[in-house]
Amino acid sequence: MKKEEVSLNESVFLLVILLAIIGTCIILLSMDPQIPILISIGIMIIFAKVKGFSWDAIHKGLQNGITPGLIPILIFMLIGALVSVWIAAGTIPTIMVYGFGILSAKFFLPSVFLICALVGVTVGSSFTTISTVGIALFGMGQIMGYDPAITTGAIISGAFLGNNISPLSDTTNLASAIAEVDLFAHIRYMLRVVIPAALISLVFFAVAGRSGVLSTGAKISELVDTLNASFVISVMTLIPVLVLFLSAWRKVPAIPTLLLCIAVTIIVLFIYHPGTGFLELSRLMQDGYVATTGVESVDKLLSRGGIQSMMWSVSLILLALAMGGLLVELKIIGTIISSVSGFVSTKGKLILTTALSSVGINLLLGEQYLSIILPGEAFKRQYDKIDLPRKEMSRIAANAGAAVNALIPWGVSGVFIAGTLGISTLAYFPYAIFCITAPVLNVLYGFVNPGKTNVLPRPRKRSPS
């Protein structure tokens, strides 16, 4: 059978069907995303065969889609192992005990936001921020009586704020590279949106924090006493955190950083618990830490981590990326983006279209890197045509690409957050204020900010020779 080109109408129709299936199953039926995405993959395979695509082409699409996710998946598994040994060695309990002594309950949420932003800028990774200090702050919020969803929103907002302006962040570097602009010029330009979005987020969490505390004193005292009795609370247990920051400062990649942190944490664990056997350690890293303090709230809070805890997330990421690979191989994404590129003749429309493309690719592919790469490659020449700095493109790609990925239930970031903190994406969505406001402000600036060319330049008249 001869392969036929996929038309624009067919591409749009197929996307509407896929999004309807996924949205209905997840939002209305409260299903886990794996099955509706698997159904969508089946529909696309049938569509591909009807259009004459070979099995080799279909397999190529699946493989190409999954390949970019292999490194993140390995990072997920290492983070699962890291979390379990950080709890066992006392690192996370120590952060919590010291945190209760420093942080005020009334200003807890804005403090969470600012701490995660600072850590995010320092380490250049939202995932690392969320899975380390984020877990400790999440537990503190539960004890203080805050809704876990709003605490998660504060953690995510801070982590992605830091990630978006960190020179160590892979997505920040990718956005500047795709736009072919200097990294620090890109970061400085990002601040024009990041600072207002950060202020809006800070005000929101300050207001929410003052009205959200249900109980504090007795529960906090009980928790601190339980942690002191059940874990080693010592400055020494914070050495792995120092190693994490030093590795970020030295620009060590994520995988060796995580392996080093795990190794250092194991040494700390053996120092304070010399009787820990190799089999016990391997089970700890594989299945996670199980707290047995006798206090139900603490046991539930600190029974987490392990490689197996990430397998739900891994299965979803593999399916989402496979679906994305098919959409790319069938040229459905490329057809739609190409069709709109000719209509973006003004500054506001171009920025809006770039943002919608990044958000759409996040929805369809669930992959933050492609949500930066594909719109960037499709539209960067158009930015040149209307004399608009490519820094505009890199900024909106980072905000509507990397940050919005955290809001997608089957996105790599959304899956990771839900798996790590145990809060569904739809639950924390309304409170991830920075991830919502940053792209919205970016689009609004495109329409109201004066001083830039807003229409296609008129062709210059040739001077007589």
Side-chain angles (χ1 to χ4, degrees), residues 170-244:
D170 49 359
T171 53
T172 301
N173 279 272
L174 179 61
S176 64
I178 290 297
E180 300 174 12
V181 300
D182 176 73
L183 172 62
F184 290 97
H186 162 71
I187 292 174
R188 286 193 297 271
Y189 208 68
M190 284 281 293
L191 293 176
R192 301 184 185 187
V193 166
V194 166
I195 291 175
L199 291 175
I200 292 171
S201 302
L202 192 61
V203 170
F204 173 84
F205 291 121
V207 173
R210 285 184 172 274
S211 60
V213 182
L214 301 177
S215 60
T216 54
K219 283 191 174 182
I220 291 174
S221 297
E222 180 187 19
L223 174 70
V224 171
D225 291 342
T226 302
L227 292 177
N228 277 305
S230 305
F231 297 92
V232 175
I233 307 299
S234 167
V235 175
M236 291 291 291
T237 64
L238 299 180
I239 291 176
V241 181
L242 178 62
V243 171
L244 178 67

Side-chain angles (χ1 to χ4, degrees), residues 74-93 127-133 135 239-241 243-244 254-266 269 281 284-286 288-289 304-307 309-310 416:
L74 181 56
I75 291 173
F76 278 21
M77 291 189 285
L78 289 175
I79 286 176
L82 178 67
V83 168
S84 61
V85 293
W86 269 33
I87 296 175
T91 302
I92 288 178
F127 287 2
T128 305
T129 302
I130 292 165
S131 61
T132 52
V133 297
I135 288 179
I239 291 176
V241 181
V243 171
L244 178 67
I255 290 177
T257 293
L258 292 171
L259 288 171
L260 179 60
C261 286
I262 291 171
V264 172
T265 309
I266 290 173
L269 177 62
L281 178 63
L284 171 69
M285 296 173 65
Q286 175 74 4
Y289 184 84
R304 61 177 67 233
I307 293 173
S309 70
M310 293 295 180
F416 172 78

Side-chain angles (χ1 to χ4, degrees), residues 9 28 185 196 273 309 348 439 443:
N9 289 337
L28 297 183
H273 303 279
S309 70
V443 171

Side-chain angles (χ1 to χ4, degrees), residues 318-388:
L318 287 173
L319 288 170
L321 293 179
M323 180 179 73
L326 280 178
L327 288 169
V328 173
E329 182 65 26
L330 300 180
K331 295 183 172 55
I332 291 171
I333 298 297
T335 299
I336 293 176
I337 290 180
S338 298
S339 68
V340 301
S341 62
F343 299 100
V344 285
S345 57
T346 68
K347 175 187 175 183
K349 289 180 181 178
L350 180 54
I351 291 177
L352 175 62
T353 303
T354 307
L356 292 177
S357 298
S358 292
V359 173
I361 290 168
N362 268 319
L363 280 169
L364 295 168
L365 308 186
E367 219 288 315
Q368 57 185 347
Y369 298 124
L370 291 178
S371 70
I372 295 172
I373 294 170
L374 294 181
E377 292 294 344
F379 296 119
K380 63 183 178 184
R381 301 288 180 266
Q382 198 71 14
Y383 280 79
D384 296 338
K385 284 184 180 180
I386 68 171
D387 195 27
L388 192 61

